[in-house]
C-alpha cells in the first residue's frame, strides 16, 4: 500500500505526504481516504498519478469537526 511520511494537522486542516509503489496502490489509498468518515474536502492533485511506479504524493483535506485535534 501507500506509505505516509508526514501527516500534519492545523485547526482541522490536513496535509499528508508519502510514497506509493504503484499508481494502483495510490488510487486505492485515495479511495480509502474519501470513504473514511473522518475526512472531507480531500484534494488529490492529478500530479500524484502521472507516474506508474515509485510515486511521491501529497494530499490535502480536512478532519471532520468531531475528529478534530
Amino acid at each position: 500500500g501507500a506509505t505516509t511520511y508526514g501527516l500534519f494537522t492545523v485547526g482541522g486542516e490536513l496535509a499528508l505526504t508519502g510514497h506509493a509503489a504503484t499508481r494502483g496502490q495510490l488510487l486505492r489509498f485515495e479511495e480509502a481516504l474519501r470513504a473514511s468518515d473522518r475526512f472531507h474536502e480531500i484534494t488529490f492533485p492529478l500530479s500524484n498519478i502521472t507516474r506508474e511506479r515509485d510515486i511521491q504524493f501529497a494530499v490535502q483535506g480536512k478532519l471532520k469537526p468531531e475528529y478534530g485535534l
Side-chain angles (χ1 to χ4, degrees), residues 8-38:
F8 307 97
T9 61
V10 176
E13 298 285 327
L14 170 75
L16 180 101
T17 59
H19 175 267
T22 67
R23 183 185 295 156
Q25 288 176 342
L26 184 54
L27 291 173
R28 284 188 294 278
F29 181 67
E30 177 193 15
E31 286 176 13
L33 280 177
R34 291 187 188 281
S36 171
D37 64 348
R38 295 178 183 260

Side-chain angles (χ1 to χ4, degrees), residues 45-60:
L46 287 177
S47 60
N48 284 346
I49 58 170
T50 57
R51 295 180 59 130
E52 290 276 337
R53 300 191 174 284
D54 193 27
I55 303 164
Q56 302 297 319
F57 66 87
V59 178
Q60 284 91 29

